[in-house]
Amino acid sequence: RLAHVSSPHVTRRSQWSGGAGRARFPPACGRSYSGGVPLTRPLPGAPQPVFAAAGGRERFETRVTTLENGLRVASQNKFGQFCTLGLLVNSGSRHEAKYLSGIAHFLEKLAFSSTARFASKDEILLTLEKHGGICDCQASRDTIMYAVSADAKGLDTVVNLLADVVLQPRLSDEEIEMTRMAIRFELEDLNMRPDPEPLLTEMIHAAAYRENTVGLNRFCPVENTDKIDREVLHSYLRNYYTPDRMVLAGVGIEHEQLVECAKKYLLGVEPVWGSGKTKDVDRSVAQYTGGIVKVEKDMSDVSLGPTPIPELTHIMIGLESCSFLEEDFIPFAVLNMMMGGGGSFSAGGPGKGMFTRLYLNVLNRHHWMYNATSYHHSYEDTGLLCIHASADPKQVREMVEIITREFILMAGAVGEVELERAKTQLKSMLMMNLESRPVIFEDVGRQVLATNTRKLPHELCTLIGDVKSADIKRVVTKMLRNKPAVAALGDLTDLPTYEHIQAALSSKDGRLPRMYRLFR
């Protein structure tokens, strides 16, 4: 059409305009081209089209193969030109009890640096670029994940590169020094950020699991940055980077191809730290302790600028839930969705969670509260359901009481409409997230790492649909028997004592014990 319009020989009242409101079409849109070839006949030399078909169930199964050395290879079919694959290692900050804290943080920052085959990070990135690839590494409390998204045709190169990055890193003195600087900067930035959520998450874990497993610090403490060197890293890698603790997961690749590449590059490979006997693997189970972690901090100048955030005190209260391997995990996920919440500036309708309890009962009724959000952290052996709330320092006591009351109300009646809405929202969130290839990759990798199999989305949706209000009441009653974990950040002058918070969570109405002061 643009060609016709731009041609000087075509007037405005051409065959496109049709005149007098009647649409007329050029001959090409009708029965045949000017050459007389009917549109029903395929164009000569054009490749045969390939369509994505909704085949049988087997097309959606996650296939898992275990190699002779114990390494698991998992793959998921997905139509498309690109694939996402990576190595997940059962290793993280929870395994650092016998080591200097912060090794997993160091390994995350050192990932995709120079290796035996690649002289520098730039060389790795250039190799990936040839296949339109990008790479990333993320370390959590229980898993380190090395991932690459690239054209599926470059599978052999990518698996070779991943094997080199994980098993043959050089860890040069220069790279380690650069990592030290990057970590110091990150820690400084973490303390200055207006959003304290990452800091509070660290604090609530430290309070809930005092000095054990998932309660260990995910970030490297400043005093340890100079103590971690190549020898310390090799000692840790020797114990935790073993084939039986790894999964090679891929999405958008044929399973047989991935298994062949795994055998070629990950079988019988001698890692750079040697393959001596592992002796210090920490297999301890998380011990929930409960407790409080308080950090007095001046929050008055957190965000300077034309619209500064007012000074706030942040509180997080949590209770032990369950591991993601237990049946109660699904009712807890529905409960977390039912509580929902968010910031006072969130806009939107039901899809944004405006009908969740923390919106209806807290943010809509108490205009002075800036935030009330529910979080659910779940691991292989434990879990933590917590509520984060923010308000002016003078209203901390009232804010804590509102949150403890919400915990008690969880054990009360659950409306049918409310429950159905939470279940529908959880299903839609699950299905929407699993539209994304990198999310499918992480889901496949994490599930296979923990259980050797993968529950498919439709199975999870069935389990979510089966949750009854009695299930919610049962899991909450069990949860409320535990001691609470409390994290508090900011001006804590009016913060109730830990004993008072515990008493409120043990009471029938969630109210804090009354305090009588002679002088105000």
Side-chain angles (χ1 to χ4, degrees), residues 338-365:
M338 193 173 82
M339 296 310 292
S344 57
F345 299 111
S346 297
K352 290 288 292 285
M354 300 294 266
F355 282 96
T356 59
R357 282 195 182 185
L358 292 178
Y359 258 110
L360 294 176
N361 304 350
V362 179
L363 292 167
N364 286 356
R365 293 183 186 180

Side-chain angles (χ1 to χ4, degrees), residues 128-365:
L128 285 173
E129 208 174 280
K130 288 172 190 168
H131 301 283
I134 53 168
C135 60
D136 184 32
C137 177
Q138 289 177 13
S140 61
R141 294 178 190 281
D142 51 2
T143 314
I144 294 182
M145 184 170 69
Y146 298 81
V148 170
S149 280
D151 193 311
K153 289 173 188 163
L155 178 66
D156 192 82
T157 308
V158 171
V159 176
N160 189 1
L161 186 145
L162 276 167
D164 218 43
V165 162
V166 177
L167 300 174
Q168 308 286 335
R170 274 193 193 158
L171 307 179
S172 69
D173 293 340
E174 189 187 348
E175 285 166 351
I176 289 173
E177 192 50 51
M178 288 289 283
T179 302
R180 286 180 183 135
M181 286 165 64
I183 286 173
R184 285 188 203 115
F185 174 78
E186 194 177 330
L187 294 172
E188 212 173 295
D189 178 58
L190 202 65
N191 288 313
M192 288 163 62
R193 220 182 276 179
D195 172 30
E197 203 264 316
L199 213 54
L200 279 163
T201 303
E202 284 306 302
M203 289 162 67
I204 195 89
H205 278 83
Y209 307 92
R210 200 167 282 280
E211 291 172 11
N212 77 86
T213 58
V214 292
L216 299 175
N217 200 338
R218 196 166 69 84
F219 298 105
C220 179
V222 180
E223 62 272 15
N224 284 2
T225 50
D226 288 326
K227 296 175 189 170
I228 294 174
D229 55 20
R230 193 190 295 109
E231 200 177 317
V232 171
L233 293 168
H234 276 185
S235 163
Y236 179 87
L237 291 164
R238 193 173 294 114
N239 286 313
Y240 289 100
Y241 276 44
T242 53
D244 56 305
R245 299 178 71 88
M246 291 182 187
V247 167
L248 175 68
V251 177
I253 323 157
E254 288 299 325
H255 187 71
E256 287 74 19
Q257 272 183 288
L258 191 61
V259 171
E260 281 308 307
C261 289
K263 285 178 179 173
K264 192 172 170 185
Y265 299 114
L266 289 158
L267 203 58
V269 178
E270 176 83 11
V272 72
W273 48 84
S275 53
K277 279 276 182 191
T278 59
K279 54 182 184 296
D280 280 330
V281 174
D282 183 12
R283 291 194 171 86
S284 45
V285 176
Q287 302 296 313
Y288 181 84
T289 59
I292 186 164
V293 171
K294 298 189 283 188
V295 175
E296 284 270 3
K297 190 178 173 191
D298 179 14
M299 307 284 278
S300 57
D301 59 349
V302 165
S303 68
L304 302 171
T307 53
I309 293 175
E311 183 183 351
L312 299 172
T313 294
H314 301 272
I315 306 291
M316 207 179 252
I317 299 174
L319 289 162
E320 188 180 22
S321 57
C322 71
S323 99
F324 57 70
L325 299 176
E326 293 176 50
E327 283 181 13
D328 284 348
F329 172 67
I330 300 290
F332 268 117
V334 173
L335 171 68
N336 180 51
M337 196 51 97
M338 193 173 82
M339 296 310 292
S344 57
F345 299 111
S346 297
K352 290 288 292 285
M354 300 294 266
F355 282 96
T356 59
R357 282 195 182 185
L358 292 178
Y359 258 110
L360 294 176
N361 304 350
V362 179
L363 292 167
N364 286 356
R365 293 183 186 180

